[in-house]
Amino acid sequence: MPKLESLGIKRLEGIHYYVHDLERSRQFYTGKLDFAETWRSSPELEHEGRQKSACFSAGKIQVVCSSPIDILGLGTSRSGRFLAKHPDGVGTLVFEVEDIDKTFRLLEQRGGTAITDIETFKDDGGTLRQFAITTPFGDCTFRFRQHEGYKALYPGAIPYQGGGQNKFGFQEIDHVTSNFQTMKPMLLWLEHVLGFEQMWEVEFHTSDVEPTRKTGSGLKSIVMWDPQSNTKFANNEPARPFFKSSQINIFNEELRGDGVQHVALTVADIVTAVRSLRGNGVSFMPTPGTYYDMLPDRIKNSGIKQIDEDLKILRELEILLDGDHERAYMLQIFLKESSGLYADSAAGPFFYEIIQRKGDRGFGAGNFRALFESIEREQRERGLV
């Protein structure tokens, strides 16, 4: 297939997250992650849309959270309709583009399904033009926007100054990872409609580690990207055997459909950031000590040869490391999923990843296998498998 003309995406500027409890989200972003609260929905917009919204910002990251005003009448707002079907989750991804007319034209030519025509809004600063499309990401839509001096974040938003100062050094969205029962429709859509290209893939199953086991978890992951903007989507599906016990299938059952599993946020110094976040009460997914027992050999065999960080500190903070060539590697860690953070299943299975890239463009392929192997090893030592 010939390479398609670029849509002119400049960046993935943010996510729109639908939640049952907006105040709980406010406390998490401003209190735990030290994001600033920068915008709130106006009373007029809340009356019209039947939902309250707030934007939390750090670096180039924007997270808009919305919750329905009439919680018993969930179907009366966009957030309410989403939450009538799902727990809390990402309902929209927002892209900034160079030329909204070109983006709309190309998507329409390629079979993209627009929800609206291009809408134009003006304020005393300039113009905002935008439209949204449906996607194979379950009930997650994509919104494309072109800013021409428009001051407000979105029509009906009013500025607000509150919350944190980004003391943990969050920078931008690195990638979005989504889970599907079958990901081929999404891959074809990303390629033939959005014009993305395949960048990376991995396939893994715990039965590779312990072939005699009676259960297990596996996945296949393929990353698609837009080279012009460096926008990246990692896409996962469950792998047999033991399809139903795959962590990907379990996520889909908890979300009650396909959708965004996690969003990766970059930081300049992950060691300092994670140490401070832990001190601020942020909870991360645990990493067994056996992972770090194996890490020196993994680094040696990977060809990285040398890292800047002290392995003892990585063990202490439970930060993961991966790479495949000299002096190029990445560091990553995952927050607990929202339902675990809040001890509430309605908060959903979404979570954040924190990542620092030091020359490596991958997605932690070595960590998939090494982490699963470490878990298996620890479970065997405890007599659980």
Side-chain angles (χ1 to χ4, degrees), residues 312-347:
K312 292 181 180 178
I313 293 177
L314 297 184
R315 179 190 288 265
E316 172 196 344
L317 297 175
E318 298 185 315
I319 295 171
L320 305 171
L321 183 147
D322 191 58
D324 59 9
H325 55 283
E326 184 175 357
R327 297 292 295 168
Y329 60 97
M330 56 165 287
L331 300 153
Q332 62 187 155
I333 192 169
F334 301 93
L335 273 67
K336 282 188 175 180
E337 60 182 33
S338 297
S339 57
L341 287 173
Y342 301 126
D344 178 7
S345 60

Side-chain angles (χ1 to χ4, degrees), residues 175-217:
H175 64 271
V176 173
T177 296
S178 300
N179 290 345
F180 306 91
Q181 291 294 89
T182 174
M183 67 178 170
K184 190 65 173 180
M186 168 53 82
L187 300 178
L188 292 171
W189 185 82
L190 286 170
E191 178 184 3
H192 293 275
V193 178
L194 265 61
F196 280 38
E197 303 171 12
Q198 184 168 328
M199 176 185 185
W200 183 93
E201 69 177 303
V202 68
E203 188 167 2
F204 177 76
H205 204 291
T206 53
S207 62
D208 298 340
V209 179
E210 185 60 59
T212 61
R213 63 180 293 126
K214 302 299 184 183
T215 186
S217 181

Side-chain angles (χ1 to χ4, degrees), residues 121-194:
F121 303 91
K122 295 181 180 293
D123 63 14
D124 59 3
T127 302
L128 168 68
R129 303 181 70 212
Q130 65 178 20
F131 69 94
I133 64 172
T134 61
T135 77
F137 279 73
D139 287 317
C140 181
T141 60
F142 284 9
R143 180 176 294 119
F144 299 92
R145 295 153 50 96
Q146 182 181 358
H147 310 265
E148 297 290 347
Y150 193 77
K151 290 183 179 180
L153 177 65
Y154 54 84
I158 53 179
Y160 184 86
Q161 293 185 346
Q165 304 296 317
N166 193 22
K167 64 184 178 184
F168 305 121
F170 290 107
Q171 298 173 316
E172 60 186 1
I173 295 174
D174 182 86
H175 64 271
V176 173
T177 296
S178 300
N179 290 345
F180 306 91
Q181 291 294 89
T182 174
M183 67 178 170
K184 190 65 173 180
M186 168 53 82
L187 300 178
L188 292 171
W189 185 82
L190 286 170
E191 178 184 3
H192 293 275
V193 178
L194 265 61

Side-chain angles (χ1 to χ4, degrees), residues 3 31 82 98 104 107 144 152 179 199 210-212 229 240 267 278 284 298 315 354 367:
K3 187 173 181 179
F82 183 95
E98 298 169 346
F104 188 91
L107 287 171
F144 299 92
N179 290 345
M199 176 185 185
E210 185 60 59
T212 61
S229 63
R240 67 178 195 280
V267 291
R278 287 190 181 277
F284 295 88
R298 284 189 54 236
R315 179 190 288 265
I354 298 176
N367 286 336

Side-chain angles (χ1 to χ4, degrees), residues 107-126:
L107 287 171
E108 193 168 46
Q109 288 175 356
R110 299 171 189 172
T113 305
I115 298 171
T116 63
D117 291 322
I118 298 173
E119 299 175 303
T120 301
F121 303 91
K122 295 181 180 293
D123 63 14
D124 59 3

Side-chain angles (χ1 to χ4, degrees), residues 38 49 60 63 76 78 84 162 179 201 203 260 266 269 275 294 297 326 369 371 385:
T38 51
K60 296 180 179 180
V63 180
T76 61
R78 165 67 171 135
N179 290 345
E201 69 177 303
E203 188 167 2
V260 176
T266 65
D269 180 353
R275 188 185 300 280
M294 301 163 63
D297 286 338
E326 184 175 357
R369 180 169 294 277
L371 184 56
V385 294

